[in-house]
Amino acid sequence: MKLRHVDKPQYRKMTNQVQFGVIAILAISSLVFGQMLIAILSSATVVAGQPTGNFYFNFGGVIMGLMLCTLVVKHGRKKPQYADVYYVWQLKQLQNKIYRKLNAIQQAAADNNVNALTILCFYYQSLAIVYELDNNTLTMTEVNRQISLLEQQIKDSNLSCNADDFKVELLGDF
């Protein structure tokens, strides 16, 4: 995966649309599916003061609503207007994979392992992109500090590596 520029206002607009849309679809479809299941499968007799026993039908409606949301997102991610949202989502997933192996990668980077340094270059630069897009200014200074320390280590070791050299396969070494 290559790092690329993402238009922040457009990304924020599309992210808000996706979040609102998924929440609306989930809420409405859960109610509709739940009511349909109750109408089709529930017993007709209801005793006053007693539970209706429709919990599982309502729960089934929520599950069906989640399945519908999954289908909508799976189909919608291919649309060009949501390309940035999908790209950042994939980037966050990749950051999570790297984070799970971060201790081993940092230890190898301390020994000037080129693959580890390449992974860290990608990781910190991708964090900077995502933090900027999500207005996460609290941890941005720490990420910038990590980037400068890494760049200094690469320069001092006379190595050549950058984020463009990153491939997911490099994670297999750690």
Side-chain angles (χ1 to χ4, degrees), residues 31-45:
L31 288 172
V32 170
F33 287 137
Q35 289 303 308
M36 285 174 37
L37 289 173
I38 290 169
I40 295 169
L41 302 173
S42 177
S43 64
T45 59

Side-chain angles (χ1 to χ4, degrees), residues 1 3 87-105 119-120 122-124 126-128 130-131 166 168 171 174:
M1 175 176 250
L3 295 177
Y87 168 75
V88 173
W89 180 72
Q90 287 180 309
L91 193 58
K92 288 179 179 182
Q93 285 186 321
L94 189 52
Q95 287 172 348
N96 191 23
K97 286 180 185 177
I98 295 171
Y99 180 77
R100 283 183 260 153
K101 299 181 177 196
L102 192 58
N103 287 335
I105 294 169
I119 292 169
L120 287 179
F122 176 84
Y123 180 66
Y124 290 131
S126 67
L127 282 178
V130 171
Y131 287 171
F166 174 77
V168 178
L171 292 173
F174 302 97

Side-chain angles (χ1 to χ4, degrees), residues 4-64:
R4 65 177 176 85
H5 173 74
V6 176
D7 183 35
K8 185 176 179 176
Q10 180 69 15
Y11 167 76
R12 300 294 297 168
K13 177 183 173 190
M14 289 296 134
T15 301
N16 290 340
Q17 282 182 3
V18 168
Q19 289 173 350
F20 178 76
V22 168
I23 291 169
I25 290 170
L26 179 62
I28 293 168
S29 64
S30 294
L31 288 172
V32 170
F33 287 137
Q35 289 303 308
M36 285 174 37
L37 289 173
I38 290 169
I40 295 169
L41 302 173
S42 177
S43 64
T45 59
V46 176
V47 179
Q50 296 295 317
T52 59
N54 293 333
F55 171 78
Y56 293 109
F57 297 129
N58 286 321
F59 184 69
V62 172
I63 299 300
M64 291 170 72

